[in-house]
Amino acid sequence: MFQENDYRFCTKVSLQVMQQLRENLCQDCIQLDPKIQSGLHSSDSPSTGKLYFQYYFVEWLNCHWEAMLKILEKYPDISLDSKRQVELFFASYFSKMISSFENNSILSDLAIPELLSEKKKQIEQLLSCSEKWGKNINILCAQKRKNSEQFQKLIQEAERNGKE
């Protein structure tokens, strides 16, 4: 089990990630990130606009993991075991956050629930086999790339269908 200092460090890193990504979300909305702007001004069809918003949201979720890894890089004196402990701690709460979005009506269209459930499965596997954490982290990164490609394909298809 965690020692008090370990728990505090894990909590501190997790809260830094959450704060940073919420700030990014606010800034992206204020400065109109290209995906958000495309969603707002998609003249093809409302479904294309919704796709852009969903794409942004899934990318935003993916950035949580990357932000956590970047924050951990700022602590070179932390042992590999401590970093693994933080990753597993973060993964358990991140999985719960994904679960809360899985059945959200905003994301219920298309393949979004499948993408989120796949991400959740990967995180659960990471938690259950912490000794294979490096391999599972690579799988999560590959899943992120796959999600991005799927969204780009869906958006292209929606834009083509909107022009026809």
Side-chain angles (χ1 to χ4, degrees):
M1 196 61 165
F2 287 119
Q3 293 180 353
E4 187 173 339
N5 288 340
D6 293 340
Y7 182 77
R8 285 182 180 185
F9 181 69
C10 291
T11 303
K12 177 184 173 185
V13 169
S14 297
L15 290 174
Q16 284 176 339
V17 170
M18 296 299 174
Q19 179 185 12
Q20 178 183 340
L21 269 290
R22 268 125 190 106
E23 285 176 6
N24 291 357
L25 177 65
C26 291
Q27 286 303 314
D28 287 347
C29 289
I30 291 168
Q31 297 173 356
L32 286 179
D33 174 270
K35 289 180 193 88
I36 293 173
Q37 188 169 14
S38 296
L40 289 171
H41 302 291
S42 178
S43 59
D44 297 337
S45 70
S47 62
T48 304
K50 195 172 186 179
L51 261 176
Y52 276 109
F53 289 129
Q54 291 173 345
Y55 183 23
Y56 174 83
F57 183 74
V58 171
E59 290 295 308
W60 177 77
L61 281 176
N62 288 332
C63 288
H64 283 74
W65 195 263
E66 293 168 6
M68 187 263 311
L69 294 175
K70 285 180 184 176
I71 289 172
L72 285 178
E73 287 175 3
K74 294 178 183 178
Y75 296 97
D77 54 332
I78 300 294
S79 70
L80 189 59
D81 285 337
S82 294
K83 287 182 181 182
R84 184 181 310 170
Q85 201 171 29
V86 171
E87 289 172 359
L88 294 173
F89 178 86
F90 183 78
S92 67
Y93 288 99
F94 188 57
S95 177
K96 290 176 187 175
M97 186 171 92
I98 289 173
S99 294
S100 70
F101 290 120
E102 252 179 333
N103 297 319
N104 188 324
S105 62
I106 295 171
L107 300 176
S108 62
D109 292 347
L110 305 166
I112 306 305
E114 292 174 22
L115 296 173
L116 292 179
S117 66
E118 184 63 32
K119 182 173 289 304
K120 185 178 169 190
K121 281 183 207 172
Q122 294 300 324
I123 290 172
E124 287 170 354
Q125 286 179 0
L126 176 71
L127 291 169
S128 66
C129 336
S130 63
E131 66 275 357
K132 297 178 185 175
W133 68 280
K135 178 183 174 189
N136 288 332
I137 287 173
N138 291 337
I139 291 171
L140 276 172
C141 292
Q143 185 66 33
K144 178 191 178 291
R145 285 190 300 275
K146 181 180 172 185
N147 292 349
S148 181
E149 291 169 3
Q150 287 175 335
F151 263 110
Q152 290 171 359
K153 193 177 195 178
L154 286 170
I155 289 170
Q156 289 172 354
E157 287 174 13
E159 287 175 343
R160 275 195 303 268
N161 292 338
K163 291 179 182 177
E164 293 175 354

